[in-house]
Amino acid sequence: MTRIKRGYIARRRRTKIRLFASTFRGAHSRLTRTITQQKIRALVSAHRDRGRQKRDFRRLWITRINAVIRENKVYFCYSKLIHNLYKRQLLLNRKILAQIAILNKSCLYMISNEIIK
């Protein structure tokens, strides 16, 4: 009986997985089973942390806005500023407000004065 040579499909799949895990340390980049487990784990962490990153940035923006507002007592607190922004229908999101608060405080004071009137 002649020898049957296997195809290249399984090898191609393994090399693709190895390329993904090439920067991992130790057996996590050398052994096929461990590589697949670590790949699943890495993708799960990446998916979870995308949501966490959004949450963390939102918290950072809120903290920055609140710090600048309380610094010069433009407003008593962050929540009242945001409430009045919505009441006046000024569509500025927290990211933009945080950038304004850091780079151009006087502009934020102008915005807050417009809201108060």
Side-chain angles (χ1 to χ4, degrees):
M1 198 188 296
T2 58
R3 177 173 167 251
I4 299 170
K5 292 174 72 177
R6 291 287 305 269
Y8 59 90
I9 294 166
R11 184 170 62 247
R12 191 168 58 184
R13 186 186 74 240
R14 287 188 204 108
T15 52
K16 199 192 301 184
I17 294 170
R18 284 223 164 106
L19 285 172
F20 180 85
S22 62
T23 57
F24 296 173
R25 294 182 69 189
H28 295 197
S29 66
R30 291 189 190 94
L31 305 177
T32 306
R33 279 188 187 171
T34 321
I35 287 172
T36 54
Q37 290 170 359
Q38 288 305 308
K39 180 182 177 184
I40 291 168
R41 189 170 180 182
L43 292 174
V44 165
S45 296
H47 180 264
R48 181 195 62 225
D49 291 337
R50 275 196 295 275
R52 189 170 286 174
Q53 183 185 32
K54 292 179 183 74
R55 210 175 318 151
D56 290 343
F57 270 109
R58 185 184 166 97
R59 284 181 62 192
L60 176 69
W61 297 329
I62 290 171
T63 307
R64 284 178 174 173
I65 296 165
N66 201 15
V68 171
I69 288 169
R70 287 172 185 249
E71 185 181 308
N72 284 27
K73 296 178 179 152
V74 177
Y75 246 78
F76 297 116
C77 62
Y78 161 83
S79 60
K80 288 182 181 176
L81 175 77
I82 294 294
H83 174 71
N84 289 328
L85 274 173
Y86 276 104
K87 247 180 13 182
R88 289 278 187 157
Q89 295 180 340
L90 292 172
L91 300 173
L92 291 170
N93 61 12
R94 286 160 183 83
K95 179 180 177 180
I96 300 299
L97 278 173
Q99 286 178 350
I100 291 171
I102 289 173
L103 300 174
N104 195 358
K105 292 180 184 178
S106 60
C107 184
L108 185 70
Y109 300 148
M110 285 171 49
I111 292 170
S112 61
N113 289 335
E114 285 296 319
I115 295 169
I116 293 170
K117 290 178 183 175

